[in-house]
């Protein structure tokens, strides 16, 4: 077994899924700007722990699905529909986030409160579960994903590490750059819509040529 493969796949999948501006990224950046890097890192650590368990849950569910070929095919088709709908919504229907909400500040003061805030917001963000189900099933269909215990835990751990590194990147880059933060916040729907569009095209290619 290639011991580095699950780590590489986990890092890559998490980087693709986590890098676009979203609730956790932008909150980490805001905590950094308002309360300092150390507290923002605690927030990122808490969020990353939840990412690990979300990824693990998603992959375990994928293993169950992978053993039933008919369910796997149906879920790929459902995934195509869902990501297509999300693309249409984010690119043409969703309104741009308003930039007036500057009164909404995180007023937690201790490091532990930032840690649990990260866990809470990450728990409320359910997108990683269907995302990693889709990723693991797709990679498995090409023979790149192995559903044994080591592979699953290594992939999940690598995903959590990559998520933390992305959060760290936001924390470092947006420190004191509120204008840049506002620009990305205004255009977040277009970024997410582009990502979901690419995923939908990949799913369509997979269904047509499988």
């Amino acid at each position: 077994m290639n011991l580095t493969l699950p780590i590489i796949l986990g890092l890559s999948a998490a980087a693709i899924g986590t890098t676009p501006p979203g609730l956790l990224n932008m909150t980490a950046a805001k905590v950094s700007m308002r309360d300092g890097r150390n507290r923002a890192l605690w927030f990122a650590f808490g969020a990353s722990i939840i990412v690990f368990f979300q990824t693990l849950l998603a992959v375990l569910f994928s293993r169950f699905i992978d053993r039933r070929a008919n369910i796997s095919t149906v879920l790929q088709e459902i995934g195509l529909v869902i990501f297509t709908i999300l693309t249409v919504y984010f690119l043409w229907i969703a309104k741009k986030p308003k930039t007036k909400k500057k009164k909404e500040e995180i007023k937690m003061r201790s490091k532990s409160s930032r840690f649990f805030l990260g866990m809470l917001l990450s728990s409320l963000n359910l997108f990683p579960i269907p995302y990693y189900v889709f990723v693991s099933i797709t990679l498995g269909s090409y023979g790149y994903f192995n559903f044994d215990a080591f592979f699953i835990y290594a992939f999940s751990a690598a995903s959590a590490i990559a998520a933390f590194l992305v959060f760290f990147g936001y924390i470092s880059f947006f420190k004191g750059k509120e204008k840049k933060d506002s620009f990305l916040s205004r255009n977040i729907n277009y970024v997410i819509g582009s990502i979901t569009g690419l995923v939908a095209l990949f799913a369509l290619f997979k269904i047509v040529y499988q």
Side-chain angles (χ1 to χ4, degrees):
M1 180 192 299
N2 187 346
L3 300 181
T4 61
L5 181 59
I7 297 175
I8 294 173
L9 292 178
L11 292 173
S12 301
I16 294 172
T18 312
T19 300
L23 173 64
L24 296 177
N25 294 340
M26 304 314 293
T27 302
K30 289 177 181 177
V31 172
S32 177
M33 289 187 289
R34 296 168 184 173
D35 303 313
R37 176 177 293 186
N38 288 338
R39 287 176 174 77
L41 289 176
W42 276 99
F43 172 89
F45 182 53
S48 300
I49 289 177
I50 299 301
V51 170
F52 169 80
F53 288 106
Q54 288 176 326
T55 306
L56 180 63
L57 176 63
V59 176
L60 290 175
F61 182 61
S62 300
R63 182 172 64 177
F64 170 79
I65 295 171
D66 186 65
R67 295 173 180 174
R68 292 156 179 80
N70 57 329
I71 297 179
S72 179
T73 301
V74 170
L75 282 178
Q76 287 182 16
E77 295 173 352
I78 293 174
L80 170 62
V81 173
I82 291 174
F83 281 105
T84 300
I85 292 174
L86 287 174
T87 300
V88 172
Y89 173 78
F90 282 113
L91 291 181
W92 290 287
I93 299 176
K95 296 180 180 179
K96 291 184 178 181
K98 296 180 180 179
T99 58
K100 295 181 180 179
K101 296 182 179 179
K102 292 201 173 181
K103 295 181 179 179
E104 297 181 3
E105 297 187 1
I106 302 171
K107 296 185 178 179
M108 302 276 192
R109 297 187 178 178
S110 67
K111 293 179 180 179
S112 62
S113 64
R114 300 301 191 288
F115 175 79
F116 288 114
L117 177 63
M119 293 185 70
L120 174 62
L121 292 185
S122 187
S123 299
L124 295 175
N125 179 33
L126 298 178
F127 174 77
I129 296 178
Y131 171 74
Y132 285 111
V133 168
F134 178 80
V135 167
S136 56
I137 288 178
T138 302
L139 291 173
S141 66
Y142 283 106
Y144 293 114
F145 202 98
N146 188 343
F147 290 97
D148 63 26
F150 172 80
F151 201 104
I152 290 174
Y153 281 99
F155 178 85
S156 301
S159 298
I161 292 172
F164 180 84
L165 292 176
V166 171
F167 297 147
F168 179 77
Y170 270 78
I171 290 169
S172 300
F173 184 74
F174 291 105
K175 179 66 177 176
K177 297 186 178 182
E178 296 185 9
K179 291 184 179 179
K180 183 73 70 173
D181 173 33
S182 298
F183 172 80
L184 286 174
S185 296
R186 290 195 303 270
N187 293 278
I188 183 173
N189 290 334
Y190 298 115
V191 175
I192 297 176
S194 299
I195 295 295
T196 56
L198 291 174
V199 174
L201 288 175
F202 182 78
L204 178 61
F205 177 84
K206 176 66 174 60
I207 292 172
V208 172
Y209 292 98
Q210 67 180 353

